[in-house]
Amino acid sequence: KAGVTQTPRYLIKTRGQQVTLSCSPISGHRSVSWYQQTPGQGLQFLFEYFSETQRNKGNFPGRFSGRQFSNSRSEMNVSTLELGDSALYLCASSLDASYGYTFGSGTRLTVV
Amino acid sequence: QQQVKQSPQSLIVQKGGISIINCAYENTAFDYFPWYQQFPGKGPALLIAIRPDVSEKKEGRFTISFNKSAKQFSLHIMDSQPGDSATYFCAASGNNDMRFGAGTRLTVKP
Protein backbone atom coordinates (compact mmCIF):
# COMPACT_ATOMS: atom_id res chain seq x y z
CA LYS A 1 0.00 0.00 0.00
CA ALA A 2 1.10 3.58 -0.55
CA GLY A 3 3.12 5.19 2.22
CA VAL A 4 2.88 8.66 3.71
CA THR A 5 3.30 11.30 1.01
CA GLN A 6 4.62 14.75 1.78
CA THR A 7 4.71 17.58 -0.72
CA PRO A 8 6.71 19.44 -1.72
CA ARG A 9 10.00 17.67 -0.97
CA TYR A 10 12.02 20.88 -1.03
CA LEU A 11 11.06 24.49 -0.54
CA ILE A 12 12.98 27.75 -0.40
CA LYS A 13 11.21 30.76 1.06
CA THR A 14 12.18 34.27 2.03
CA ARG A 15 12.03 35.55 5.59
CA GLY A 16 8.61 37.01 6.33
CA GLN A 17 6.75 34.85 3.84
CA GLN A 18 4.35 32.05 4.73
CA VAL A 19 4.39 28.43 3.65
CA THR A 20 1.96 25.52 3.51
CA LEU A 21 3.12 21.91 3.63
CA SER A 22 0.94 18.94 2.75
CA CYS A 23 0.75 15.39 4.08
CA SER A 24 -1.31 12.50 2.73
CA PRO A 25 -1.47 9.65 5.27
CA ILE A 26 -1.66 5.95 4.66
CA SER A 27 -5.17 4.94 3.65
CA GLY A 28 -7.23 4.22 6.75
CA HIS A 29 -4.95 6.14 9.11
CA ARG A 30 -6.88 8.87 10.88
CA SER A 31 -4.10 10.27 13.05
CA VAL A 32 -1.53 12.63 11.57
CA SER A 33 1.34 14.12 13.56
CA TRP A 34 3.84 16.75 12.53
CA TYR A 35 7.44 17.07 13.71
CA GLN A 36 10.25 19.54 13.09
CA GLN A 37 13.71 18.04 12.75
CA THR A 38 16.84 20.14 13.03
CA PRO A 39 20.45 19.02 13.53
CA GLY A 40 21.07 18.37 17.18
CA GLN A 41 17.46 18.96 18.21
CA GLY A 42 15.98 15.65 17.21
CA LEU A 43 12.30 15.45 16.45
CA GLN A 44 10.31 18.26 18.01
CA PHE A 45 6.57 17.63 18.22
CA LEU A 46 4.39 20.24 16.55
CA PHE A 47 0.84 18.89 16.71
CA GLU A 48 -1.38 15.86 16.19
CA TYR A 49 -4.72 15.64 14.45
CA PHE A 50 -7.33 12.91 14.59
CA SER A 51 -10.58 13.06 12.64
CA GLU A 52 -10.08 16.76 11.85
CA THR A 53 -9.50 17.68 15.52
CA GLN A 54 -6.23 18.83 17.01
CA ARG A 55 -5.70 16.65 20.07
CA ASN A 56 -2.17 17.61 21.07
CA LYS A 57 0.10 20.56 20.49
CA GLY A 58 3.80 21.05 21.15
CA ASN A 59 5.62 24.14 22.36
CA PHE A 60 5.79 26.11 19.15
CA PRO A 61 4.66 29.71 18.59
CA GLY A 62 1.28 30.49 17.08
CA ARG A 63 2.94 31.07 13.70
CA PHE A 64 2.79 27.31 13.32
CA SER A 65 -0.67 25.98 12.61
CA GLY A 66 -2.26 23.00 11.01
CA ARG A 67 -5.47 21.40 9.97
CA GLN A 68 -6.83 18.06 8.87
CA PHE A 69 -9.45 17.43 6.22
CA SER A 70 -12.24 14.88 6.18
CA ASN A 71 -10.12 12.53 4.04
CA SER A 72 -7.41 12.66 6.77
CA ARG A 73 -5.01 14.66 4.61
CA SER A 74 -3.28 17.31 6.66
CA GLU A 75 -1.60 20.63 6.05
CA MET A 76 0.64 22.70 8.23
CA ASN A 77 1.21 26.39 7.78
CA VAL A 78 4.01 28.59 9.00
CA SER A 79 3.46 32.33 8.78
CA THR A 80 6.01 35.14 8.99
CA LEU A 81 8.90 32.79 8.34
CA GLU A 82 12.12 33.21 10.30
CA LEU A 83 15.61 31.94 9.46
CA GLY A 84 15.34 29.53 12.40
CA ASP A 85 12.37 27.82 10.80
CA SER A 86 14.73 26.16 8.32
CA ALA A 87 14.32 22.46 9.04
CA LEU A 88 13.05 19.12 7.83
CA TYR A 89 9.32 18.88 8.55
CA LEU A 90 8.11 15.35 8.99
CA CYS A 91 4.60 14.02 8.96
CA ALA A 92 3.64 10.66 10.46
CA SER A 93 0.38 8.80 10.23
CA SER A 94 -1.05 6.03 12.35
CA LEU A 95 -4.31 4.32 13.21
CA ASP A 96 -3.92 5.61 16.74
CA ALA A 97 -1.48 8.35 17.70
CA SER A 98 0.06 6.18 20.39
CA TYR A 99 1.29 3.36 18.17
CA GLY A 100 2.70 2.37 14.81
CA TYR A 101 3.80 5.67 13.32
CA THR A 102 4.77 5.66 9.65
CA PHE A 103 6.75 8.69 8.56
CA GLY A 104 6.91 10.42 5.22
CA SER A 105 10.23 11.49 3.71
CA GLY A 106 9.66 15.04 4.86
CA THR A 107 9.71 18.51 3.39
CA ARG A 108 13.04 20.32 3.55
CA LEU A 109 12.28 23.99 4.16
CA THR A 110 15.02 26.57 3.74
CA VAL A 111 14.34 30.16 4.77
CA VAL A 112 16.69 32.75 3.29
CA GLN B 1 10.59 19.97 28.43
CA GLN B 2 12.48 16.91 27.24
CA GLN B 3 10.34 13.93 28.10
CA VAL B 4 12.70 11.37 26.61
CA LYS B 5 16.45 11.57 27.16
CA GLN B 6 18.73 9.65 24.82
CA SER B 7 22.45 8.91 24.98
CA PRO B 8 25.01 8.91 23.55
CA GLN B 9 24.67 11.62 20.95
CA SER B 10 27.07 9.78 18.65
CA LEU B 11 28.60 6.34 18.64
CA ILE B 12 31.40 4.73 16.63
CA VAL B 13 31.61 0.95 16.60
CA GLN B 14 33.78 -1.51 14.71
CA LYS B 15 32.14 -3.98 12.36
CA GLY B 16 31.02 -7.01 14.34
CA GLY B 17 30.81 -5.10 17.61
CA ILE B 18 27.82 -4.35 19.82
CA SER B 19 26.12 -0.95 19.63
CA ILE B 20 24.20 0.17 22.72
CA ILE B 21 21.95 3.22 22.89
CA ASN B 22 20.14 4.22 26.07
CA CYS B 23 16.96 6.14 26.76
CA ALA B 24 15.10 7.33 29.84
CA TYR B 25 11.58 8.64 30.10
CA GLU B 26 9.65 10.60 32.69
CA ASN B 27 5.96 10.17 32.00
CA THR B 28 4.62 6.97 33.60
CA ALA B 29 1.60 7.16 31.27
CA PHE B 30 3.80 6.07 28.37
CA ASP B 31 3.05 2.48 27.44
CA TYR B 32 4.73 1.93 24.09
CA PHE B 33 8.44 2.31 23.39
CA PRO B 34 9.59 2.14 19.76
CA TRP B 35 12.95 2.67 18.15
CA TYR B 36 13.27 4.33 14.78
CA GLN B 37 16.12 4.23 12.27
CA GLN B 38 16.73 7.13 9.92
CA PHE B 39 19.00 7.27 6.89
CA PRO B 40 19.99 10.59 5.27
CA GLY B 41 17.24 12.01 3.10
CA LYS B 42 14.62 9.65 4.50
CA GLY B 43 12.03 9.81 7.22
CA PRO B 44 12.48 7.66 10.34
CA ALA B 45 11.38 4.03 9.95
CA LEU B 46 10.14 1.80 12.77
CA LEU B 47 12.81 -0.70 13.75
CA ILE B 48 11.50 -2.49 16.83
CA ALA B 49 9.14 -1.68 19.69
CA ILE B 50 8.29 -2.94 23.16
CA ARG B 51 5.48 -2.63 25.67
CA PRO B 52 6.19 -2.42 29.41
CA ASP B 53 4.76 -5.83 30.22
CA VAL B 54 7.96 -7.50 28.95
CA SER B 55 11.59 -6.81 29.86
CA GLU B 56 13.20 -7.74 26.57
CA LYS B 57 12.30 -8.11 22.91
CA LYS B 58 14.57 -9.45 20.21
CA GLU B 59 14.22 -9.23 16.45
CA GLY B 60 17.21 -10.53 14.55
CA ARG B 61 20.29 -8.57 15.57
CA PHE B 62 18.21 -5.92 17.38
CA THR B 63 17.19 -6.22 21.04
CA ILE B 64 15.30 -3.84 23.30
CA SER B 65 15.88 -4.12 27.04
CA PHE B 66 13.27 -2.44 29.23
CA ASN B 67 13.45 -1.53 32.92
CA LYS B 68 10.06 -0.27 34.05
CA SER B 69 11.06 0.62 37.62
CA ALA B 70 14.00 2.71 36.41
CA LYS B 71 12.00 4.12 33.49
CA GLN B 72 14.82 3.24 31.15
CA PHE B 73 15.15 1.24 27.96
CA SER B 74 17.96 0.51 25.57
CA LEU B 75 18.65 -0.74 22.07
CA HIS B 76 21.36 -3.32 21.48
CA ILE B 77 22.60 -3.99 17.95
CA MET B 78 24.58 -7.21 17.83
CA ASP B 79 27.20 -7.91 15.13
CA SER B 80 26.96 -4.29 13.94
CA GLN B 81 27.39 -3.81 10.20
CA PRO B 82 28.38 -0.75 8.12
CA GLY B 83 24.82 -0.78 6.72
CA ASP B 84 23.57 -0.08 10.25
CA SER B 85 25.20 3.35 10.10
CA ALA B 86 22.26 5.71 10.59
CA THR B 87 20.61 7.91 13.19
CA TYR B 88 18.55 6.07 15.79
CA PHE B 89 15.70 7.60 17.75
CA CYS B 90 14.01 6.17 20.79
CA ALA B 91 10.45 7.21 21.52
CA ALA B 92 7.83 6.84 24.19
CA SER B 93 4.12 7.16 23.67
CA GLY B 94 0.73 6.95 25.30
CA ASN B 95 -2.47 8.99 25.51
CA ASN B 96 -2.28 9.93 21.82
CA ASP B 97 1.15 11.43 22.26
CA MET B 98 4.55 10.22 21.05
CA ARG B 99 7.77 11.93 22.11
CA PHE B 100 11.21 11.29 20.71
CA GLY B 101 14.73 11.32 22.06
CA ALA B 102 17.32 13.61 20.48
CA GLY B 103 18.82 10.83 18.38
CA THR B 104 22.10 8.91 18.21
CA ARG B 105 24.27 8.98 15.14
CA LEU B 106 25.78 5.51 14.78
CA THR B 107 28.82 4.92 12.59
CA VAL B 108 29.98 1.35 12.05
CA LYS B 109 33.54 1.21 10.75
CA PRO B 110 34.44 -1.65 8.38
Side-chain angles (χ1 to χ4, degrees):
Chain A
K1 59 183 179 182
V4 178
T5 303
Q6 290 189 246
T7 56
R9 286 297 310 276
Y10 303 93
L11 206 50
I12 298 176
K13 288 287 187 178
T14 302
R15 198 169 40 177
Q17 286 186 312
Q18 75 163 13
V19 67
T20 298
L21 312 181
S22 178
C23 172
S24 293
I26 289 174
S27 178
H29 284 190
R30 295 163 64 188
S31 171
V32 174
S33 298
W34 288 89
Y35 290 85
Q36 181 194 66
Q37 185 175 23
T38 54
Q41 292 297 314
L43 293 157
Q44 299 296 312
F45 174 69
L46 282 155
F47 26 67
E48 186 262 344
Y49 287 88
F50 185 89
S51 294
E52 302 179 67
T53 300
Q54 185 183 90
R55 295 195 299 188
N56 279 307
K57 189 177 189 305
N59 296 323
F60 278 81
R63 300 185 297 107
F64 292 81
S65 63
R67 59 177 175 169
Q68 187 180 34
F69 302 95
S70 59
N71 61 358
S72 294
R73 190 177 71 86
S74 177
E75 290 181 346
M76 69 163 281
N77 183 277
V78 188
S79 62
T80 319
L81 283 165
E82 301 177 358
L83 296 178
D85 296 334
S86 295
L88 179 67
Y89 289 88
L90 290 161
C91 158
S93 78
S94 66
L95 290 170
D96 178 317
S98 296
Y99 315 109
Y101 275 27
T102 300
F103 281 88
S105 294
T107 294
R108 172 75 63 184
L109 171 65
T110 302
V111 182
V112 297
Chain B
Q1 179 186 2
Q2 189 177 7
Q3 297 196 34
V4 181
K5 295 182 181 179
Q6 182 173 346
S7 63
Q9 195 170 21
S10 64
L11 183 61
I12 299 175
V13 174
Q14 290 294 129
K15 178 182 176 181
I18 302 174
S19 304
I20 301 174
I21 305 171
N22 300 300
C23 282
Y25 63 99
E26 299 173 355
N27 189 343
T28 54
F30 290 144
D31 62 356
Y32 177 72
F33 303 89
W35 286 88
Y36 283 82
Q37 179 188 55
Q38 185 179 29
F39 293 105
K42 301 287 187 182
L46 179 64
L47 189 61
I48 185 173
I50 196 169
R51 294 187 186 275
D53 52 344
V54 296
S55 60
E56 185 175 284
K57 182 175 182 180
K58 183 176 181 180
E59 289 183 1
R61 297 185 293 109
F62 301 91
T63 300
I64 300 178
S65 296
F66 186 83
N67 185 329
K68 186 175 181 178
S69 61
K71 293 190 287 185
Q72 295 175 346
F73 57 110
S74 60
L75 176 69
H76 295 233
I77 306 175
M78 311 300 287
D79 186 27
S80 297
Q81 299 297 312
D84 296 331
S85 296
T87 300
Y88 292 81
F89 293 94
C90 64
S93 73
N95 292 333
N96 305 316
D97 189 10
M98 182 173 287
R99 301 298 171 124
F100 288 81
T104 296
R105 177 172 288 184
L106 171 65
T107 302
V108 181
K109 290 188 174 292

